């Protein structure tokens, strides 16, 4: 995935200095000093592109949040001012609404650091969500657990949740982590989570789809 506040910027995989707020209660500037629109602390979104014409895609849901005072509201928008390569097919994604565990860095050069340090082999990632899709669209949550092997990162496990069903109230959901047998004795040292209001593994992303998410938590243990 590639984002930019001013141009075309490749993501680098590093640890986030500020741990992501899994309850979405704390928010801060998306990409200071260029953008003053807020993102959840420890998360990044297309809000950094509001500086070059993209509409705000992630906002605070405070009228009817699930837990606490705030839930995250992700809306699919027309992407302006950046090229976001589609990881599944050729070409760029021009319609998207995504929240990724990480932080936009505007200075000294634009880019993104992402991933949160952790230690373990959790079995599931739980969260609450509701969805208001445009016809034919679907939302998803992706999670990856990795470990640095001295020269590169190994993906220890991954999990996915997806839905195309309209829901008007928050409901508890979860995704199950699928562990690679090659790393059966390895504990992850970093986690990475994506939440999207639209599909991108195939055509169908629609401007206006809205995905609400809150209260993320890891649980369980996957042993050897």
């Amino acid at each position: 995935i590639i984002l930019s506040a001013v141009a075309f910027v490749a993501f680098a995989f590093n640890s986030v200095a500020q741990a992501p707020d899994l309850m979405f209660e704390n928010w801060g500037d998306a990409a200071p000093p260029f953008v003053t629109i807020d993102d959840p602390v420890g998360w990044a979104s297309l809000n950094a592109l509001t500086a070059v014409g993209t509409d705000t895609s992630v906002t605070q849901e405070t009228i009817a949040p699930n837990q606490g005072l705030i839930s995250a509201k992700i809306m699919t928008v027309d992407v302006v001012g950046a090229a976001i390569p589609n990881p599944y097919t050729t070409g760029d994604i021009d319609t998207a609404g995504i929240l990724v565990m990480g932080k936009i860095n505007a200075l000294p050069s634009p880019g993104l650091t992402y991933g949160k340090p952790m230690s373990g082999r959790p079995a599931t990632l739980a969260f609450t969500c509701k969805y208001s899709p445009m016809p034919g669209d679907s939302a998803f949550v992706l999670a990856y657990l990795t470990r640095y092997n001295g020269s590169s990162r190994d993906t220890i496990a991954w999990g996915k949740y997806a839905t195309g069903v309209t829901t008007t109230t928050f409901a508890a959901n979860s995704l199950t982590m699928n562990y690679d047998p090659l790393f059966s004795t390895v504990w992850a040292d970093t986690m990475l989570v994506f939440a999207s209001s639209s599909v991108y593994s195939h055509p169908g992303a629609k401007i206006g789809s809205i995905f609400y998410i809150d209260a993320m938590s890891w649980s369980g243990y996957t042993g050897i």
Side-chain angles (χ1 to χ4, degrees), residues 3 11 30 39-48 58 98-104 112-113:
L3 295 176
F11 285 178
D39 273 336
V41 168
W43 297 81
S45 75
L46 296 175
N47 285 349
V58 173
I98 194 164
L99 189 62
V100 57
M101 194 173 281
K103 181 176 177 58
I104 296 289
L112 174 73
T113 56

Side-chain angles (χ1 to χ4, degrees), residues 2 4 28 100 117 123-124 135 138 151 158-159 161-162 172 201 211 219 224:
I2 293 181
S4 172
V100 57
T124 60
S138 59
S151 59
W158 71 278
Y161 164 88
S201 58
F211 186 53
S219 62
I224 298 172

Side-chain angles (χ1 to χ4, degrees), residues 142-223:
L142 284 174
Y144 296 92
L145 300 178
T146 71
R147 185 174 182 86
Y148 188 63
N149 61 24
S151 59
S152 62
R153 286 209 160 266
D154 294 322
T155 298
I156 306 303
W158 71 278
K160 180 179 181 179
Y161 164 88
T163 180
V165 178
T166 298
T167 49
T168 57
T169 58
F170 279 93
N173 288 285
S174 65
L175 57 82
T176 300
M177 299 305 295
N178 303 289
Y179 281 82
D180 189 330
L182 294 177
F183 304 105
S184 62
T185 62
V186 178
W187 280 37
D189 64 12
T190 301
M191 71 175 189
L192 179 60
V193 180
F194 298 85
S196 175
S197 54
S198 283
V199 66
Y200 65 83
S201 58
H202 57 76
K206 302 291 195 309
I207 294 173
S209 292
I210 301 174
F211 186 53
Y212 300 83
I213 192 165
D214 203 353
M216 285 188 171
S217 64
W218 292 100
S219 62
Y221 172 75
T222 300

